[in-house]
Amino acid sequence: MIRFQTPARPAPVAPVREHVVCLHGREVRDPYAWIKAENWRAVLDDPKALPDEIRAYLEAENAWGEEVLSGTAGLRATLVEEMRGRIKEDDSSVPEPDGPFAYYTRFRQGGEHPLVCRQPRDGGEGTILLDGDALAQDHGYFAFGSIAHTRDHARLAWASDTEGSESYVVRVRELATGGDLPDRLERVAGGLAWSADGRALYYVERDENHRPARVRRHLLGTPQADDVLVYAEGDPGWFVNLGETRSRDFAVISLGDHETSEAWLLDLADPEATPRLVAKREREVRYDIEQRGDALVILTNADGAEDFKLVTAPLSNPSRANWRDLVPHRPGTMILDHAAFSAHVVRLEREDARPRIVILALATGEEHAIRFEEETYSLGMRAGEEYDSTRLRFVYSSLTTPGETYDYDMASRERILRKRQEVPSGHDPAAYVTRRLFATAADGARVPISLLHRAVTPLDGSAPALLYGYGSYGIAMPASFRTNILSLVDRGFVFAIAHVRGGTEKGWRWYTDGKREKKTNTFADFVACAEALCEAGYTARGRVVAQGGSAGGMLMGAVANMAPELFAGIVAEVPFVDVLNTMLDAELPLTPPEWPEWGNPIESAEAFDQILAYSPYDNVRPRAYPAILAMGGLTDPRVTYWEPTKWVARLRATTTGGGPVVLHMNMGAGHGGASGRFKHLEEVALAYAFALASVEGRA
């Protein structure tokens, strides 16, 4: 039996230091505000800059947590071995054709990081362009960012992060020699785009508050200090991203917050080009563009198209007045993505929480859909590198079916299986059951639940359950194949995904009904899903472990306050739990862009009160809490390290029973946790061991 251990030493106690926030006639006390380092910007760039007192406290928390979980050490090693056994170690992606070459990534046996490769288009020996294992050798953390090759395939721009702070360094590799040019670009974010002649590189630069705010043009062979400013965004609530149209005629400078967007086109054939506005920003109007010849194909919610529509506009004058419907809005059918080819326009859409791909032949206006028959599944679309092509790539999986990569000919409708995900240790889909259920929320909303369990698991309430949730930013949680979760399911767990409001599983309104003043719907939906699983016999009260990360970690903190008795344990990964204090700090990287999602408590007393009413950190109360594991990353620019740390300190000082409350802070990583595909498994194993110990008890 896996149990928590009682450490010989007491849990760390964070000093209480008076700090009061006064605004709108309210006073909010934050006794652990000191845990936020005054030099937090420097810490993002260099973790060694963390003040000694804070470092000592975090290390004490990590040490105490390891003692609590010391009884799971053997289990964690077993879990890592199991999960690693399901990974094809020398795996590779399906090569993506582009001109004379096909580009792909692969891993070497035992390798932690990807190798970026290419081979002749029609097959043949591959060449390693970037060796992730070698590049990571001298770093505790390493991750690739954007990678882009020139049109003549002679050079490769590549970005890397060695701190976990998502601030990238970009270098340029000469592919004929395998060596990097002296050019080095720092504080880079987002995508990269080459000029047509391959002499200049466009990139996004972060500002002093770590926000992607400017686009610059770098001429090869010149210092970064001389790079030309192409675009600067003046609104701190708007982030800048960079991409290309699939025709490669233009770079696309995409701007936006969580409600509104704007795009500018940059002619890649003109070295002195200035950006050209597509359509000026209008509050709560979003649009994404693709180019097809002398026209743009635009995905937008304009004109009340709540679930989005496709329009066309002339490239010469693409303002709103010239938009014409191509695929009209259909309420309840949400268009998620689109791609333009020379003869087809493709869209990925979702209806009744089921995705499908629809192909429109532009010459005839005829449409056809690619459909699947499983009750619940995941579908992803990859348009590829080539514009003048009839080939579309897509990936299908379900909770029981490993990923399948297909090439689909949009003209002949031929479907070719290019790869099926291998599970080296073996996987029998027939041994598992996947279901779609619905929970009824307090206001009558029907909340979808995706389920996975072994066919032999008893459904009499005796099984434990892991219930996963997110519910923010309109992000839908796919019911896709997950090899790691089988380690819990094979031990008798029911795995469930709560498709709560705040996502877009049931359309755009499903999202807006879970944001700002309606945010608490997200939390109530999750509780309703847990209760529905209990009522249906899949598990029982006190046998549910809740899991969520980032904004899903806020969900974890909220339900811990709302219904602690429902849960045996809560795993909150990089949890956004200090919502009010973060939204009150306009200098933090994500705060201004987040105001449309949560409300602006600086300007609005109403938003202040709404956030204060649910902010997990501010609503910890004297009561028995379930076992809680909070996981964070020291260099996380999204959910800063002090959020889970302060939350744990307040929980431990306030709780009247239950627990334990454990903090695991990765001192060398950011929002995504440990880098390296096997190193990451250690953190997954920690979460799963905690879940098992939560339902089995403590010593």
Side-chain angles (χ1 to χ4, degrees), residues 104 106 108 115-118 126-132 173:
Y104 62 101
R106 70 174 178 86
R108 57 170 58 92
L115 313 177
V116 178
C117 309
R118 74 179 179 189
T127 301
I128 297 174
L129 308 179
L130 297 170
D131 187 330
R173 180 150 296 191

Side-chain angles (χ1 to χ4, degrees), residues 517-537:
E517 70 277 3
K518 298 180 180 180
K519 188 64 220 171
T520 54
N521 284 339
T522 304
F523 317 142
D525 287 358
F526 191 87
V527 171
C529 289
E531 290 174 336
L533 293 176
C534 297
E535 291 168 6

Side-chain angles (χ1 to χ4, degrees), residues 583-604:
M583 289 298 100
L584 287 171
D585 190 343
E587 293 188 353
L588 291 175
L590 262 64
T591 294
E594 298 286 283
W595 286 330
E597 183 77 13
W598 318 108
N600 185 343
I602 299 174
E603 295 185 353
S604 168

Side-chain angles (χ1 to χ4, degrees), residues 453-473:
H453 60 84
R454 286 192 68 86
V456 297
T457 298
L459 304 180
D460 57 4
S462 62
L466 183 76
L467 180 61
Y468 185 88
Y470 188 75
S472 290
Y473 309 116

Side-chain angles (χ1 to χ4, degrees), residues 288 297-300 308-312 324-329 335 337-339 345-347 360:
D288 293 303
V297 181
I298 303 171
L299 173 63
T300 182
F308 292 79
K309 64 179 179 176
L310 292 180
V311 303
T312 60
R324 300 291 181 266
D325 283 4
L326 176 66
V327 178
H329 176 236
I335 304 178
D337 194 9
H338 76 304
V345 170
V346 184
R347 67 185 186 269
L360 169 63

Side-chain angles (χ1 to χ4, degrees), residues 35 47 86 110 128 134-135 145 170 174-175 181 214 270 327 417 441 465 493 505 568 577 611 659 680:
I35 295 174
R86 299 189 192 102
I128 297 174
L135 293 166
V170 172
E174 288 278 12
L175 297 182
L181 297 176
R214 296 178 285 266
D270 180 359
V327 178
L417 178 64
F493 267 72
E505 283 88 342
V577 284
I611 295 171
H680 175 67

Side-chain angles (χ1 to χ4, degrees), residues 427-445:
H427 175 68
D428 178 11
Y432 301 89
V433 175
T434 182
R435 293 282 316 280
R436 170 62 58 89
L437 300 180
F438 288 88
T440 302
D443 63 358

Side-chain angles (χ1 to χ4, degrees), residues 123-458:
E125 186 176 354
T127 301
I128 297 174
L129 308 179
L130 297 170
D131 187 330
D133 288 326
L135 293 166
Q137 194 166 17
D138 297 328
H139 304 284
Y141 180 96
F142 178 85
F144 282 121
S146 296
I147 298 172
H149 58 264
T150 53
R151 297 187 194 186
D152 62 3
H153 304 274
R155 298 187 180 102
L156 191 74
W158 61 282
S160 65
D161 173 15
T162 57
E163 300 294 350
S165 62
E166 302 174 40
S167 185
Y168 294 92
V169 173
V170 172
R171 298 172 179 83
V172 176
R173 180 150 296 191
E174 288 278 12
L175 297 182
T177 65
D180 288 333
L181 297 176
D183 303 69
R184 177 185 170 95
L185 309 178
E186 299 185 346
R187 298 188 64 80
V188 174
L192 302 169
W194 282 102
S195 62
D197 61 10
R199 297 180 63 242
L201 181 66
Y202 295 90
Y203 65 95
V204 180
E205 180 183 54
R206 292 193 182 276
D207 67 12
E208 61 279 2
N209 284 326
H210 206 77
R211 298 178 188 130
R214 296 178 285 266
V215 174
R216 291 191 182 273
R217 181 174 63 244
H218 173 73
L219 186 65
L220 292 185
T222 65
Q224 186 177 10
D226 292 345
D227 289 354
V228 175
L229 179 65
V230 174
Y231 180 89
E233 175 54 46
D235 188 334
W238 278 51
F239 277 11
V240 178
N241 196 14
L242 186 66
E244 292 183 352
T245 59
R246 297 191 60 259
S247 65
R248 296 183 181 167
D249 290 340
F250 297 95
V252 181
I253 301 172
S254 302
L255 320 166
D257 56 17
H258 292 293
E259 288 185 333
T260 308
S261 66
E262 185 177 87
W264 297 68
L265 292 172
L266 189 67
D267 188 345
L268 292 174
D270 180 359
E272 303 299 323
T274 57
R276 183 158 60 91
L277 178 64
V278 174
K280 66 180 181 180
R281 62 190 71 177
E282 298 178 41
R283 189 172 182 272
E284 297 187 4
V285 173
R286 299 163 62 98
Y287 68 92
D288 293 303
I289 65 172
E290 262 287 11
Q291 178 206 0
R292 182 182 174 272
D294 60 0
L296 296 180
V297 181
I298 303 171
L299 173 63
T300 182
N301 66 345
D303 308 313
E306 184 177 59
D307 288 319
F308 292 79
K309 64 179 179 176
L310 292 180
V311 303
T312 60
L315 183 61
S316 59
N317 186 7
S319 63
R320 276 284 306 276
N322 294 322
W323 291 9
R324 300 291 181 266
D325 283 4
L326 176 66
V327 178
H329 176 236
R330 292 165 297 156
T333 300
M334 184 173 174
I335 304 178
L336 307 169
D337 194 9
H338 76 304
F341 294 80
S342 58
H344 300 87
V345 170
V346 184
R347 67 185 186 269
L348 175 65
E349 61 185 30
R350 185 166 50 234
E351 184 177 18
D352 293 330
R354 289 162 62 94
R356 63 173 173 253
I357 294 171
V358 182
I359 292 98
L360 169 63
L362 293 166
T364 65
E366 182 183 2
E367 287 190 351
H368 70 277
I370 306 173
R371 301 173 185 270
F372 298 88
E373 299 305 321
E374 283 193 88
E375 189 172 338
T376 178
Y377 59 85
S378 173
L379 185 61
M381 182 175 78
R382 299 177 184 173
E385 296 282 346
E386 297 184 320
Y387 168 72
D388 190 13
S389 172
T390 61
R391 182 187 60 82
L392 174 73
R393 183 164 291 169
F394 65 86
V395 179
Y396 170 87
S397 75
S398 75
L399 290 172
T400 57
T401 306
E404 298 173 344
T405 301
Y406 290 88
D407 278 349
Y408 183 79
D409 190 294
M410 294 179 285
S412 69
R413 305 191 185 185
E414 181 185 13
R415 184 187 303 190
I416 301 172
L417 178 64
R418 296 297 307 275
K419 178 183 177 181
R420 179 174 284 119
Q421 181 181 354
E422 294 182 43
V423 182
S425 59
H427 175 68
D428 178 11
Y432 301 89
V433 175
T434 182
R435 293 282 316 280
R436 170 62 58 89
L437 300 180
F438 288 88
T440 302
D443 63 358
R446 284 170 49 81
V447 186
I449 306 171
S450 297
L451 279 175
L452 174 71
H453 60 84
R454 286 192 68 86
V456 297
T457 298

